[in-house]
Amino acid sequence: NVLVRDCTFNGAWFAAIRPSFATQVTLDHNRIDRALATGLFAGELQGSAAIVHNTILGTGDDAIFVGCGRAVPQTSRVVIAHNTIRNPAAKGIGVGGIRDVVIQGNLIENTHAQGIDAEAGGTAWDTVSHLTIADNVLKDVGRNWGPSGHRYREVSSCPSAIYMSQSNYSFQNVRI
C-alpha cells in the first residue's frame, strides 16, 4: 500500500510522486510545483487508486497520469477527483490500461495538450473501460499546443478538451 498525504514537492527532477506496482494507492492533499516530468505518475498498479485534493502547478509533462502496462493485470477502480491542475506542459489528466475510472470535480487550466485523455492502443492490456467524467472544469486546454519540437505536436493541429479512443464512457455535467 502507498499513502502520500499533505506533502509539498518543489522542482522534482522527474515525477514528483511515482508509485509503481502497488496494490492500493492514495495520493491526497499534496502540492507539486514545477516537476520536470509528470506531477503524479501511477504506473503498473495492481489495485485501486485515489488521487484526490492535490494541487499540481507547472509540470514538464502530464500533471496526472495513471496507467497500466503488460507487466500486471489491468488496474481497477481509480478515482481522480477534486484536484487543481494548472500549466502542465502536456495533458491535465491521462489514463490508460485501467477499468472503472472516475474523473470528477477537477479544475484543469492552461494545458499544452488535452485537458483529459483516455488513451488506448487497441489491445486488451491498454484499453480504458467504464470511464466516468463528471463535474470537471476545463479552461484554456490545448491553448499552448505544440511548440516546435514538442512531442505532442504531431498528434493533432487542434487538440480536444477531452479525448477518448474507446467506447463505454459516461459524461455528466462537463463544463469546458
Side-chain angles (χ1 to χ4, degrees):
N1 295 351
V2 175
L3 169 63
V4 181
R5 177 177 286 147
D6 296 320
C7 295
T8 299
F9 301 87
N10 193 352
W13 280 92
F14 192 66
I17 303 174
R18 187 179 180 173
S20 295
F21 296 97
T23 56
Q24 204 169 24
V25 173
T26 302
L27 309 175
D28 182 18
H29 283 93
N30 298 292
R31 181 181 175 97
I32 297 169
D33 290 316
R34 298 182 324 271
L36 292 180
T38 303
L40 301 171
F41 181 93
E44 309 297 335
L45 299 180
Q46 300 177 31
S48 63
I51 300 172
V52 295
H53 301 286
N54 299 288
T55 299
I56 305 167
L57 308 172
T59 60
D61 202 327
D62 301 342
I64 297 172
F65 185 82
V66 180
C68 204
R70 295 180 174 153
V72 296
Q74 199 175 44
T75 300
S76 156
R77 192 60 182 158
V78 173
V79 176
I80 303 170
H82 309 293
N83 298 289
T84 299
I85 297 168
R86 292 189 175 103
N87 304 314
K91 298 175 286 230
I93 297 171
V95 294
I98 52 180
R99 67 179 181 274
D100 194 12
V101 185
V102 175
I103 300 173
Q104 180 173 0
N106 299 286
L107 171 62
I108 303 170
E109 294 182 330
N110 198 31
T111 65
H112 281 254
Q114 295 87 354
I116 298 171
D117 182 20
E119 299 179 356
T123 63
W125 64 268
D126 64 358
T127 299
V128 175
S129 63
H130 300 90
L131 169 65
T132 299
I133 298 174
D135 301 314
N136 296 283
V137 176
L138 288 79
K139 296 180 180 178
D140 296 323
V141 293
R143 187 173 114 174
N144 296 314
W145 183 258
S148 180
H150 193 274
R151 71 183 178 111
Y152 291 96
R153 180 126 178 110
E154 302 305 318
V155 175
S156 170
S157 61
C158 182
S160 303
I162 300 174
Y163 176 79
M164 283 82 36
S165 59
Q166 298 288 320
S167 60
N168 202 9
Y169 298 150
S170 168
F171 297 93
Q172 302 166 12
N173 302 317
V174 175
R175 294 185 302 277
I176 300 172

